[in-house]
Amino acid sequence: MSLKNDRYLRALQCEAVDYTPVWMMRQAGRYLPEYRKLRASAGDFMTMCKTPELACEATMQPIRRFDLDAAIIFSDILTIPDAMGLGLYFETGEGPKFKHPINHPNDIKQLPIPDPQTDLGYVMDAIRLARKELDNKVPLIGFAGSPWTLATYMIEGGSSKTFTKIKKMLYSDPASLHLLLDKLADSVALYLNAQIQAGAQSIMIFDSWGGALSHRSYLDFSLKYMQKIVNALQRGQRQAHYTQDYIPVTLFTKGGGLWFDKIMHTGCDAVGVDWTVDLSTLPKGQVAIQGNLDPTILYGDKATIEQNTAWILQEFGQHNGHVFNLGHGINQDTPIESVEILINAVHQQSKRVHND
Ligand SMILES: Cc1c2[nH]c(c1CCC(=O)O)Cc1[nH]c(c(CCC(=O)O)c1C)Cc1[nH]c(c(CCC(=O)O)c1C)Cc1[nH]c(c(C)c1CCC(=O)O)C2
C-alpha cells in the first residue's frame, strides 16, 4: 500500500519534494464549524477522544476541507495522566483539570504505568479507523506530550502561567520530580510504540512548556526524558534514501529555539520551532525543521498571510527538509479563509522555489 501524497514523510527524511508540505498544529478543532457541531453532539471533549468513531471523524474534518499534507489523530496529550488515574476533565473556558492532581511526593510512587492496549485502547482504535478512512491520502501523525509538559499539568492541577508548584518541587525535591518524569517517559514510550503498531506513520512529541525552564533545567528535566523516549521508539531503520516504512519523530519545544542544536542531537528526525526562530540561522540537512508561522498572522489579510509565508520559505531557502506549520496551535477564532490562503500560498510559492 503506498501513500498518494508522501511529501510530509519525504520532507521529514530531508528528501527532495516538488512543493513544501504543510499541516497545522491543532488543525482539528474549534475554528471549524463542523468540529463545533460534532463536539456539541458529543457533549464533552473527553467523550470525543474516547469514542473512536468521533475521534476519527474529527481527524478527517480538516483533511476533507483543506489541501493538507498530513493528518494528526484527534486526541489529547493528557490522555496519559488520565490513564494513570488522575481523572481528566474540562471545565468550559478554564482548560484541563484533574480530579486527583499530584499533591504529595507519595502520590508519585503510587502512579501506575498505563497499559496502552487496555487503558488507552480507544486511541489505538481511533488510529486504526482513521488509517482506514484516510485510505492512504496523506500520512497519519501520532503524538504525545513530553514528560515535562505532562508533569506541569499533573502537579499544577491544570494550566499555569507561572509553574510555581512544579518549580518548587524541581528545586526542593528534585528526586521526586525525576521519579515522576521517568515514569512518564516509560508511559509515553509504550504509548507511542502502540500508536506506531496501530498505524501511526510519524510521531510528534509536544513539549509545550519546556520553554519555561532555565537552560540547565531544560536539559535535565525536559530534554533528558524526551531523549529516553526517542531511544525507546520502534521506528525501524532510517535508510540512506527515503522509505515510507520508516517512522520519523519530531520534537517540538515551544520557546526552545535556543536549544535547537541539543534537540537535534537526540537522534530525532525533525525539530519543531515556534515563530521566534529565524529559520535562516538553523543548520540544514541533518534534521528536518517544522514551523514556524505565528498563528496570529492568520488574523491578517491575504497580502499579509502571503508575505509572511514568503518570508518563511525564503528564510528556509532551497534546502530539503522543511515542513511548513504554525509555530503553535491554531487559535479558535481563526477565519477559515485565512487557512485556505495559507495552504495555497505554501504550495504555490514553494513550487516555484523547489522547481527553480
Ligand atoms: C498543551 C496541550 C494540550 N493538548 C495538546 C497540547 C500540546 C500542544 C499545544 O501546546 O497546544 C495537544 C493536542 N490537543 C488536541 C490535539 C488534536 C490534534 C490536532 O488537531 O492537532 C492535539 C495534538 C485537541 C484538543 N485539545 C483540547 C481541545 C479543545 C477542546 C474543546 O473542544 O473544547 C482540542 C481540539 C483541549 C485542551 N487540551 C490541552 C489544553 C490546554 C486544552 C484546552 C485548550 C483550550 O481550551 O483552548 C492540553
Side-chain angles (χ1 to χ4, degrees), residues 26-28 30 35 39 45 75-77 90 153 208 328:
R26 295 271 185 110
Q27 63 191 22
R30 287 167 296 188
Y35 173 86
R39 167 87 161 67
F45 175 71
S75 186
D76 199 82
I77 62 166
F90 285 82
Y153 287 97
S208 306
H328 199 200

Side-chain angles (χ1 to χ4, degrees), residues 27 101 131 289 345:
Q27 63 191 22
R131 276 296 304 274
I289 297 167

